[in-house]
Amino acid sequence: MQTDYSGSCHCGATGFTYRTGIKPEQWSIRACQCSFCRAHDALSTSDPAGQIAFVASEPELLKEYRFGLKTADFLLCRDCGVYIGAVLASAGSVFGIVNVHALKGTPANLTATAAVSYDTEDVAGRVARREERWTPVTEHPNW
Ligand SMILES: [Zn+2]
């Protein structure tokens, strides 16, 4: 059974619905050690069999930030500054992750987080990993 989990930035202008059949206690929760994710204390999760709809009540407040290898857009609110998730467009498909810390009412019983570093990846390796592990994105405020 699929369950919808909603999340948003602090002011509520941007957000997402994350649909997954994985129980929260079995979510893969990654603490990426790049300087962006550490600065935001971001925790990422994804489900290749799930769906993410990114939404914005005020689309002009959605900031798409690229850095490093510039393969993905990291989504931030221009008003309150919260990081909600990231998207990668590749080969006609779009994949995403959500920031667990932006969920409304973070589920209880989450697994321990795994600290991960992707520093040694090249562009092809990074895109391939995300295509395999990230969640298909069904909706984006800029579509
Ligand atoms: Zn906001």
Side-chain angles (χ1 to χ4, degrees), residues 4-124:
D4 285 346
Y5 300 88
S6 59
S8 73
C9 65
H10 187 258
C11 74
T14 69
F16 59 80
T17 300
Y18 174 50
R19 175 170 293 181
T20 180
I22 304 173
K23 294 188 172 114
E25 55 268 33
Q26 292 168 347
W27 287 5
S28 162
I29 300 179
R30 284 110 42 194
C32 174
Q33 297 300 296
C34 84
S35 52
F36 176 90
C37 289
R38 282 192 291 111
H40 285 273
D41 196 21
L43 293 179
S44 302
T45 195
S46 56
D47 172 8
Q51 293 182 343
I52 301 172
F54 286 104
V55 295
S57 59
E58 298 179 68
E60 67 279 9
L61 292 181
L62 186 74
K63 167 68 182 175
E64 298 170 284
Y65 176 59
R66 287 195 170 197
F67 60 93
L69 298 179
K70 296 185 164 51
T71 54
D73 292 321
F74 288 73
L75 306 179
L76 300 134
C77 176
R78 289 183 203 276
D79 199 5
C80 69
V82 167
Y83 161 62
I84 59 168
V87 298
L88 164 82
S90 175
S93 297
V94 182
F95 305 90
I97 50 172
V98 297
N99 181 6
V100 172
H101 280 154
L103 285 166
K104 291 174 190 160
T106 304
N109 307 321
L110 291 177
T111 55
T113 63
V116 292
S117 174
Y118 306 114
D119 285 350
T120 60
E121 287 178 333
D122 60 10
V123 168

